[in-house]
Amino acid sequence: MTAYDAYRTAQALADHGHLDPDAVTHTDMDAAADYAGADRPTDSSDRHTVRIALDAIEAGR
């Protein structure tokens, strides 16, 4: 998963009201990645990167 894929996944989560990185499930991330046309997170490192991106998006709102 690239940083851009993580950002697009996080943006899709935020656009659909999932703004709490601690509450986002693996299923939520997979669905958001599919919606965004990005690679799905494959391991805990990828999921952590998505959560960091979601944190940054939330902080900017």
Side-chain angles (χ1 to χ4, degrees):
M1 166 172 259
T2 65
Y4 185 59
D5 283 340
Y7 168 77
R8 289 177 22 204
T9 300
Q11 187 64 58
L13 286 165
D15 289 347
H16 290 91
H18 297 283
L19 293 172
D20 182 359
D22 296 326
V24 174
T25 67
H26 295 187
T27 303
D28 294 332
M29 287 189 199
D30 287 348
D34 291 346
Y35 179 81
D39 290 337
R40 285 182 171 191
T42 57
D43 58 22
S44 61
S45 176
D46 288 348
R47 288 185 287 280
H48 183 69
T49 304
V50 171
R51 285 189 173 100
I52 290 170
L54 188 55
D55 252 346
I57 291 167
E58 182 183 15
R61 289 188 173 203

